Amino acid sequence: VGLPPPVGDPLENEPALIAYYRPKSQTAEFCRSIRTNLKFMDPDQPIQTMVITSPSPREGKTTVAASIATAMAMSGGKTVLVDTDMRRPRLHRLFRVKNNRGFSTGLIGEPVLSDIVQDSVVPGLDLITCGPIPPNPAELLHSRRFCDLLDELRAHYDYVIFDSPPVLAVTDSLILGKHADGVLMVARVGETSKGAILQTFRRLQAIGVRVFGCILNRVDTEREDYRYYSYYYSGKYQYGEEETATEV
């Protein structure tokens, strides 16, 4: 989709954008596999809005959210990635864009959608950064304006992906999950405990939120047990060149 990535772009080494800058890499293939699984999870009820979260901070949810959004956009779907972490936003830093307006300003007053949407380096992928950090994030998500904004996003995009705060830290992801088609959880290998994963699933399911599954982030591809599967699925049946996955 669109023109090939420019050589020497300052974002070309950003792990979250490997699927765009290195489309033949193993990481890019993982992103496409996740995209395919999500698209065909329920053919009768295709996924349009999705919350990506994690049990705790620093588990890679923003990187995973950007990677999946990039894969969705590269498949031809008009996609928007929204930073709803109104406490520790990171999306604007990842894509190196301004954060003077965004999701928070979209929930206050009646701004036009085009006022808060920004272009990204990936063709077909728009961004809505967090914007100024408000004093009452959870309360803003209970507002009528949030429902109206979500309806606008659904009308303008094929895929709406929310990068949201950790479930065990604040309630924001639970609120977002009730309004979206479902939630995808991210856990970091060697960091996230089984108990935290189970507790996150239970909190989401307790209020009727659909959980699509869990992505294991930072898998060590050099481990002996992983290399066996890597050979079988990424080597024996590999088409084109292969690069070592750095994240996702």
Side-chain angles (χ1 to χ4, degrees), residues 11-53:
L11 290 174
E12 65 179 332
N13 293 318
E14 169 56 55
L17 294 171
I18 286 179
Y20 175 58
Y21 286 99
R22 301 172 195 168
K24 294 182 180 179
S25 67
Q26 189 179 64
T27 299
E29 185 58 39
F30 290 157
C31 293
R32 288 191 288 270
S33 295
I34 295 170
R35 176 191 69 195
T36 300
N37 289 337
L38 289 169
K39 281 189 173 184
F40 292 97
M41 184 171 288
D42 189 347
D44 295 328
Q45 292 183 326
I47 297 170
Q48 184 184 16
T49 56
M50 174 172 50
V51 174
I52 296 183
T53 187

Side-chain angles (χ1 to χ4, degrees), residues 4 85 144 217:
D85 193 337
R144 178 63 197 176
N217 192 27

Side-chain angles (χ1 to χ4, degrees), residues 80-138:
V80 63
L81 177 59
V82 188
D83 192 344
T84 62
D85 193 337
M86 293 183 283
R87 291 173 176 84
R88 295 181 179 178
R90 183 168 170 260
L91 197 63
H92 63 288
R93 295 177 183 173
L94 192 155
F95 283 91
R96 301 188 187 182
V97 296
K98 295 181 179 180
N99 191 38
N100 59 319
R101 53 189 169 85
F103 185 62
S104 63
T105 51
L107 297 179
I108 301 172
E110 295 293 333
V112 179
L113 187 60
S114 59
D115 291 339
I116 61 174
V117 172
Q118 300 186 61
D119 295 331
S120 80
V121 66
V122 181
L125 175 61
D126 287 343
L127 304 173
I128 298 179
T129 63
C130 169
I133 296 177
N136 55 343

Side-chain angles (χ1 to χ4, degrees), residues 5-242:
V7 178
D9 191 296
L11 290 174
E12 65 179 332
N13 293 318
E14 169 56 55
L17 294 171
I18 286 179
Y20 175 58
Y21 286 99
R22 301 172 195 168
K24 294 182 180 179
S25 67
Q26 189 179 64
T27 299
E29 185 58 39
F30 290 157
C31 293
R32 288 191 288 270
S33 295
I34 295 170
R35 176 191 69 195
T36 300
N37 289 337
L38 289 169
K39 281 189 173 184
F40 292 97
M41 184 171 288
D42 189 347
D44 295 328
Q45 292 183 326
I47 297 170
Q48 184 184 16
T49 56
M50 174 172 50
V51 174
I52 296 183
T53 187
S54 59
S56 307
R58 295 181 292 277
E59 292 179 300
K61 64 178 180 58
T62 300
T63 296
V64 171
S67 300
I68 293 176
T70 296
M72 292 291 193
M74 292 180 71
S75 72
K78 189 177 181 183
T79 307
V80 63
L81 177 59
V82 188
D83 192 344
T84 62
D85 193 337
M86 293 183 283
R87 291 173 176 84
R88 295 181 179 178
R90 183 168 170 260
L91 197 63
H92 63 288
R93 295 177 183 173
L94 192 155
F95 283 91
R96 301 188 187 182
V97 296
K98 295 181 179 180
N99 191 38
N100 59 319
R101 53 189 169 85
F103 185 62
S104 63
T105 51
L107 297 179
I108 301 172
E110 295 293 333
V112 179
L113 187 60
S114 59
D115 291 339
I116 61 174
V117 172
Q118 300 186 61
D119 295 331
S120 80
V121 66
V122 181
L125 175 61
D126 287 343
L127 304 173
I128 298 179
T129 63
C130 169
I133 296 177
N136 55 343
E139 285 76 7
L140 290 178
L141 295 176
H142 283 295
S143 67
R144 178 63 197 176
R145 176 55 191 160
F146 169 65
C147 296
D148 293 340
L149 180 59
L150 183 56
D151 288 341
E152 290 182 65
L153 293 172
R154 284 195 178 106
H156 283 82
Y157 293 95
D158 299 313
Y159 303 107
V160 181
I161 298 177
F162 296 107
D163 173 24
S164 67
V167 170
L168 301 184
V170 292
T171 62
D172 301 28
S173 294
L174 300 178
I175 301 170
L176 288 163
K178 288 292 291 183
H179 290 275
D181 296 328
V183 170
L184 184 63
M185 184 168 62
V186 177
R188 184 165 179 169
V189 174
E191 296 288 337
T192 312
S193 68
K194 292 181 181 179
I197 293 174
L198 288 173
Q199 189 177 358
T200 299
F201 269 115
R202 287 168 182 157
R203 286 195 181 185
L204 291 166
Q205 293 176 332
I207 59 173
V209 173
R210 182 184 182 189
V211 180
F212 297 136
C214 180
I215 292 177
L216 293 180
N217 192 27
R218 290 286 190 177
V219 174
D220 183 0
T221 57
E222 296 302 314
R223 284 178 52 182
E224 191 65 35
D225 54 350
Y226 183 85
R227 281 204 297 269
Y228 170 79
Y229 292 101
S230 177
Y231 162 76
Y232 227 83
Y233 293 105
S234 301
K236 186 177 181 181
Y237 302 108
Q238 181 77 19
Y239 288 91
E241 62 182 347
E242 178 181 349

